[in-house]
């Protein structure tokens, strides 16, 4: 069920919606003549070059109105279903504002050669537009257009934990959580793909891209307390951590 007052976005002649936007975003798109406003919802041009051009204009308009941050330079796939055809691409900065589907990759770093399993957590930098200073998994990132899940995991593992592809040989088979929720950025419709990685107790993650300000290791019991305490997790990270607690 969609949240109250949110409006679905369609591509012309397609029966399934591809996005869900807030009334504020809908007002921007309508006032700038970037969509057709119908009883069915907001209509975008047919797929192909016309659609991608329109999505670029939408990204520019949302930025000019102060609704999203700066252009990220990272393309994300636009699709009606997670396993369906990729219809276009859009800059990452506008993905959530448009309520498009997104795939997030998480890697839980786990130490098991101790009395109680330990888990690496990361704290996001204060300058992050999304969930600043919130707790996150050791590695987390969106799947960009044109990259596989494994390629995304390898890229994010290096950027956020300085893990090499050789160190990722022990990645578990992926687990999946489907999540829908609202944040200040928009309506999230996410597929969370979760890998577990056993690490030696001598390893310490080191962030290379500035998105993380600290990493620290907690026991399973401490993680349980953190999830019910005062510290704040990203919403999707909380789901991932609660799932992890059922498996270790």
């Amino acid at each position: 069920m969609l949240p109250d007052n949110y409006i679905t976005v369609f591509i012309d002649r397609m029966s399934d919606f591809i996005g869900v936007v807030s009334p504020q975003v809908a007002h921007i798109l309508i006032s700038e003549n970037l969509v057709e406003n119908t009883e069915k919802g907001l209509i975008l041009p047919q797929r192909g070059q016309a659609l991608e051009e329109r999505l670029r204009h939408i990204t520019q308009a949302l930025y000019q109105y102060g609704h999203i941050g700066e252009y990220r330079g990272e393309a994300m796939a636009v699709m009606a279903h997670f396993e369906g055809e990729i219809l276009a691409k859009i800059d990452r900065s506008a993905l959530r504002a448009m309520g498009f589907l997104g795939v997030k990759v998480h890697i839980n770093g786990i130490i098991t050669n101790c009395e109680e399993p330990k888990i690496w957590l990361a704290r996001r930098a204060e300058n992050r537009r999304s969930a600043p200073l919130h707790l996150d998994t050791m590695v987390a990132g969106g799947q960009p257009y044109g990259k596989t899940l494994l390629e995304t995991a390898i890229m994010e593992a290096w950027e956020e934990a300085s893990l090499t592809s050789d160190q990722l040989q022990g990645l578990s088979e992926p687990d999946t959580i489907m999540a829908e929720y609202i944040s200040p950025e928009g309506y999230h419709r996410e597929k969370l793909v979760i890998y577990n990685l056993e690490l030696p107790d001598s390893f310490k993650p080191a962030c290379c891209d500035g998105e993380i300000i600290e990493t620290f290791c907690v026991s399973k019991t401490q993680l349980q307390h953190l999830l019910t305490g005062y510290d704040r997790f990203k919403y999707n990270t909380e789901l991932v951590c609660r799932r992890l607690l059922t498996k270790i």
Side-chain angles (χ1 to χ4, degrees), residues 136-193:
D136 211 339
T137 50
M138 179 184 71
V139 173
Q143 180 185 15
Y145 173 83
K147 284 193 178 293
T148 67
L149 290 172
L150 186 56
E151 287 170 342
T152 302
I154 292 171
M155 176 184 70
E156 294 291 341
W158 173 251
E159 291 178 353
E160 298 191 352
S162 298
L163 282 162
T164 66
S165 55
D166 286 343
Q167 291 172 301
L168 296 175
Q169 294 299 313
L171 278 180
S172 68
E173 288 297 313
D175 193 7
T176 302
I177 298 175
M178 309 303 289
E180 295 193 18
Y181 58 99
I182 297 173
S183 81
E185 295 178 281
Y187 187 47
H188 299 239
R189 298 190 296 140
E190 295 177 345
K191 179 180 181 180
L192 310 179
V193 179

Side-chain angles (χ1 to χ4, degrees), residues 51-52 55-56 75-78 86-91 100 145:
L51 175 58
E52 292 210 351
L55 292 176
R56 283 193 287 271
M76 310 298 278
V78 176
I86 294 177
L87 306 169
K89 54 185 181 291
I90 190 170
D91 187 72
F100 291 155
Y145 173 83

Side-chain angles (χ1 to χ4, degrees), residues 2 49-50 95 109 129 151-152 189:
L2 297 178
Q49 186 174 354
L95 184 78
R129 186 176 179 91
E151 287 170 342
T152 302
R189 298 190 296 140

Side-chain angles (χ1 to χ4, degrees), residues 14-229:
M14 285 187 63
S15 58
D16 296 327
F17 66 86
I18 64 164
V20 183
V21 299
S22 67
Q24 294 82 4
V25 170
H27 175 74
I28 294 170
L29 302 184
I30 294 167
S31 64
E32 294 293 324
N33 295 315
L34 293 168
V35 293
E36 180 184 354
N37 187 17
T38 72
E39 291 185 2
K40 178 182 178 181
L42 306 181
I43 308 297
L44 288 165
Q46 292 186 50
R47 69 191 73 183
Q49 186 174 354
L51 175 58
E52 292 210 351
E53 183 67 21
R54 184 63 56 86
L55 292 176
R56 283 193 287 271
H57 289 311
I58 284 173
T59 301
Q60 292 169 359
L62 293 176
Y63 174 69
Q64 289 168 355
Y65 276 81
H67 199 84
I68 63 173
E70 294 182 349
Y71 188 78
R72 298 283 293 274
E74 184 176 32
M76 310 298 278
V78 176
M79 48 199 168
H81 306 282
F82 281 112
E83 307 304 329
E85 175 190 2
I86 294 177
L87 306 169
K89 54 185 181 291
I90 190 170
D91 187 72
R92 182 174 179 172
S93 60
L95 184 78
R96 290 163 176 162
M98 291 299 294
F100 291 155
L101 297 175
V103 179
K104 297 281 290 186
V105 172
H106 290 260
I107 301 178
N108 291 311
I110 306 168
I111 300 171
T112 59
N113 61 345
C114 45
E115 184 175 342
E116 184 180 21
K118 295 180 180 179
I119 303 98
W120 280 102
L121 296 177
R123 188 177 301 280
R124 294 169 59 79
E126 189 172 6
N127 64 358
R128 304 309 300 160
R129 186 176 179 91
S130 172
L133 298 178
H134 284 46
L135 295 179
D136 211 339
T137 50
M138 179 184 71
V139 173
Q143 180 185 15
Y145 173 83
K147 284 193 178 293
T148 67
L149 290 172
L150 186 56
E151 287 170 342
T152 302
I154 292 171
M155 176 184 70
E156 294 291 341
W158 173 251
E159 291 178 353
E160 298 191 352
S162 298
L163 282 162
T164 66
S165 55
D166 286 343
Q167 291 172 301
L168 296 175
Q169 294 299 313
L171 278 180
S172 68
E173 288 297 313
D175 193 7
T176 302
I177 298 175
M178 309 303 289
E180 295 193 18
Y181 58 99
I182 297 173
S183 81
E185 295 178 281
Y187 187 47
H188 299 239
R189 298 190 296 140
E190 295 177 345
K191 179 180 181 180
L192 310 179
V193 179
I194 309 153
Y195 296 93
N196 293 333
L197 179 66
E198 291 192 17
L199 294 166
D201 54 12
S202 59
F203 175 79
K204 180 173 175 57
C207 179
C208 301
D209 63 5
E211 294 187 6
I212 301 299
I213 58 170
E214 68 169 331
T215 55
F216 56 97
C217 202
V218 298
S219 69
K220 179 179 178 179
T221 300
Q222 289 171 325
L223 178 57
Q224 290 171 325
H225 291 324
L226 281 171
L227 286 166
T228 57

